Amino acid sequence: MTIRLLVVDDDPLVRAGLAFMLGGSDDLEIVGEASDGSQVEELADRLRPDVVLMDIRMPVVDGLSATETLRGRPDAPEVIVLTTFHADEQVVRALRAGAAGFVLKDTAPAEIVAAVRRVAAGEPVLSPAVTRQLMHQVAGAPEGSGDRAARARARIGQLAEREREVAVAVGRGQSNAEISAALFLSVPTVKTHVSRVLAKLGLNNRVQIALLVHDAGLLDEDGDIG
């Protein structure tokens, strides 16, 4: 199956570079380009991309707003955020909105291609190591209002005890194998629990689980459940 891509970046040189590096892959097709987030919704309707490579900073409608709009739609394409920063506030907000992950603009072409393929296959872009880095970034920032924490705790409260334990382990950035060893579960059982957590909480990916667990205050420096 050919993966249909929409590239969104206000810099024509970046768009040309992405088109050059991605266009050589037999299973990828760039079906369109946009220079601003204001163009994304119409192009997504018309071109039906599987994956959108989205610049986070654009002058009229930024990638964050465009991601929130796209991911709020039925049958939304997956979004990979393009950024020059590892995990700034806007990237975190895009991940909260349902972006599947982010890649740095100076990432090696082969890694960007691999990220697109993983996302199109429904797999996470962010490795457990990057998830841990992201959680450290979020932990160093204000946790937000008490309302956010209360809402997050209420949502986590929908989970069964084992699902909650798996969710907290995901929040720590643990891989399925690490969760399996820590909770004495098989890897397929861990995957089943992760899928149930996503379905119950209406989330798109593991990073959203991790952010929700953080918002609920279930992580501390010792890695214990709060």
Side-chain angles (χ1 to χ4, degrees):
M1 183 186 71
T2 300
I3 301 167
R4 297 170 61 82
L5 287 171
L6 175 62
V7 176
V8 185
D9 197 294
D10 64 329
D11 187 336
L13 292 178
V14 172
R15 295 199 308 273
L18 288 169
F20 178 77
M21 73 173 70
L22 298 172
S25 301
D26 293 339
D27 58 340
L28 304 182
E29 177 187 3
I30 296 179
V31 295
E33 298 180 12
S35 59
D36 189 77
S38 61
Q39 304 165 347
V40 169
E41 195 168 8
E42 184 273 329
L43 288 173
D45 281 338
R46 180 159 54 87
L47 301 174
R48 298 294 178 185
D50 301 304
V51 179
V52 178
L53 286 173
M54 182 84 75
D55 184 20
I56 203 72
R57 289 176 173 82
M58 291 177 286
V60 181
V61 175
D62 62 26
L64 171 61
S65 298
T67 297
E68 290 172 338
T69 299
L70 271 185
R71 294 302 301 168
R73 294 156 49 98
D75 300 321
E78 297 291 351
V79 176
I80 299 175
V81 170
L82 294 168
T83 181
T84 54
F85 299 91
H86 280 273
D88 68 1
E89 180 182 355
Q90 285 188 304
V91 172
V92 173
R93 286 180 61 191
L95 294 171
R96 288 189 190 280
F102 67 92
V103 294
L104 300 179
K105 289 188 177 182
D106 60 358
T107 298
E111 293 181 27
I112 295 180
V113 170
V116 169
R117 288 172 176 155
R118 286 200 302 273
V119 166
E123 300 173 6
V125 170
L126 300 185
S127 68
V130 174
T131 301
R132 282 192 287 269
Q133 175 192 345
L134 181 66
M135 288 302 101
H136 285 307
Q137 165 95 11
V138 175
E143 292 196 15
S145 68
D147 287 346
R148 174 186 282 179
R151 289 194 301 268
R153 283 186 175 273
R155 293 179 72 188
I156 294 292
Q158 301 174 45
L159 304 178
E161 181 178 357
R162 186 59 98 182
E163 292 166 349
R164 182 177 183 272
E165 291 175 343
V166 169
V168 171
V170 170
R172 295 180 189 138
Q174 292 181 320
S175 66
N176 286 342
E178 290 169 334
I179 297 172
S180 169
L183 298 181
F184 304 102
L185 300 171
S186 69
V187 170
T189 298
V190 171
K191 291 181 179 179
T192 297
H193 282 308
V194 171
S195 295
R196 287 176 179 168
V197 170
L198 292 170
K200 281 189 176 183
L201 300 182
L203 301 176
N204 299 115
N205 52 54
R206 294 169 74 98
V207 177
Q208 285 189 318
I209 296 176
L211 290 167
L212 186 67
V213 167
H214 169 267
D215 288 345
L218 299 182
L219 303 177
D220 61 26
E221 293 182 358
D222 295 324
D224 297 326
I225 298 175

